[in-house]
Amino acid sequence: MSLTVVATRPIDGQKAGTSGLRKKVAVFQQAQYLENFVQSIFNALTDYQGQTLVVGGDGRYYNDTAIQTILAMAAANGFGRVLVGQNGILSTPAASAVIRHHKAFGGIILSASHNMGGVDGDFGIKYNINNGGPAPEKITDAIYACTQVIESYKILSDSPAVDLSQLGSTQLGEMTVEVIDSVAIYADLMASLFDFEQIRALFASGFRMRFDAMHAVTGPYAKTILEQQLNAPEGTVLNATPLPDFGGGHPDPNLTYAHELVDILYGEDAPDFGAASDGDGDRNMILGRGFFVTPSDSLAVLAANAQLVPAYQQGLAGIARSMPTSAAADRVAAKLGIPSFETPTGWKFFGNLLDAGQVTLCGEESFGTGSNHVREKDGLWAVLFWLNVLAARRQSVADILQQHWAEFGRNFYTRHDYEGVDSAAAKQLMDGLKGQFASLTGQSFGNRTVQLCDDFSYTDPVDGSVSQGQGVRILFADGARLVFRLSGTGTEGATLRLYIEAFSTDSAQQQQDAQTALADLIQLADQVAGIQRWTGRAEPSVIT
Ligand code: G1P
Ligand code: ZN
């Protein structure tokens, strides 16, 4: 084994998006592509000599290969110890928990989240800092700057592949590699937050649920926690073995891609509760019997019921939601008399607020919910939170939502995605909207009047940093909203996301289906943005 310095030069396309660098597997397989990015991460950091790094991923294709490269490079760059999940497996929230538990310097997470896996699918890499959360923009910018000027990388050559299937320590040059149980630290953390005794009693009473791990990383976590620790019957967890190609499916827990679970919950003899998580375990979808809970509503319901959960019994410091997420959680915060925050899309914007103790719960409409227990969104945590609430209230999911709307009003909500559209056309659509801010403001459409239009800008209340151009908002006086933004995580062409929201306190109207209740706004969105004209699409690719 010898330390080798390999000459290289910058490679195009190493700009990371909302959640790290995500590309087709074939892109990562190009010579020196992964190595350049990993070295750029290390070059952007200081004072890590002898420190601990956490490494793991969602088990998708190329996970193992990438981990061996990262280990050989971490050793050559002077890390003292690397903690790797067994078989290379760490869900994103578990990686965050491990970083925090071991007070590690940081972590490298290998995942393309909910994007498809397999040899023709996507791969991704992201760096998390010592609070367990995604690196803030100043670090991701520095990493990108390093990729633009890189001249060499360091690697231990001829080092044997570390056996990731065996728990325990081995030496790689001067560095120790410790293969750790992928689930244990995370499972202990969950047991410290929720009333496991009460949830066991719920299952013992005959309560039935299905959790769909979608052949992705949460399988082992859900099996251990739900079936072994909480005594849910065997078979509660579906598709529990992580596969490199996620069984050919799209590991995204929404009404379109988690249809197997949706069919069960809407079918005959449906169980009481259904949930799913995504490729890397940070997203969640919540279903009742024949009932879908929007992620925006889920955040609001969890906040309103937090006093039922041991970890949050003392009250919440505040609630944060991403800008496109519905305002349902704001209404709960107002009633609880605690602050609410509206941040740009992407979990990294919650980090400062959580670290500063200004918020306890946070969430995004994109099936992401979390709290101050880690610095990532956490799929299984949200499911356990719901189970804790259901165990305490002993009501159906539908009844809990009905009561919530009766108390706080209902924020009707839907998101329409136009995937893989022409990037130039998508940009023109957005520019066209930005050109209409002045003319739209004050204009009335039916009984709605536009109160404000802007391109959302956020000033971080903790460090004062400003993030501009975070999405076009058209806000109406009655609480309705249209939001348009381009995805930062798609890998083919552009993805246009349209978010539509309306508020209702009328109990009869609240029973409508969301697409019906929002039909006029959906039409109006096309009218002002020219979606069909620019994208050539009559229908969105995905409706959630
Ligand atoms: C999407 C979601 C966003 C989430 C991110 C990572 O990003 O919309 O809320 O934080 O994935 O899971 P987007 O593709 O919209 O940039
Ligand atoms: Zn994810």
Side-chain angles (χ1 to χ4, degrees), residues 103 134 486:
K103 304 199 168 28
L486 299 182

Side-chain angles (χ1 to χ4, degrees), residues 113-114 278 280-283 377:
S113 187
H114 50 286
D278 72 328
D280 63 329
D282 57 0
R283 295 187 172 195
K377 55 189 172 242

Side-chain angles (χ1 to χ4, degrees), residues 432-449:
L433 279 168
K434 290 174 203 166
Q436 295 179 68
F437 288 167
S439 61
L440 282 173
T441 309
Q443 210 174 315
S444 293
F445 298 92
N447 50 9
R448 298 186 208 274
T449 304

Side-chain angles (χ1 to χ4, degrees), residues 18-19 114 283 345-347 364-366 377 415 485 487-489 497 499:
T18 324
S19 321
H114 50 286
R283 295 187 172 195
T345 296
W347 205 259
E364 294 193 278
E365 49 63 42
S366 52
K377 55 189 172 242
R415 179 174 114 178
R485 60 178 283 282
S487 159
T489 61
R497 303 204 195 284
Y499 312 81

Side-chain angles (χ1 to χ4, degrees), residues 253-254 282-285 292 295 364-369 377 544:
N254 60 39
D282 57 0
R283 295 187 172 195
N284 73 91
M285 178 172 71
F292 166 66
E364 294 193 278
E365 49 63 42
S366 52
F367 299 84
T369 328
K377 55 189 172 242
T544 44

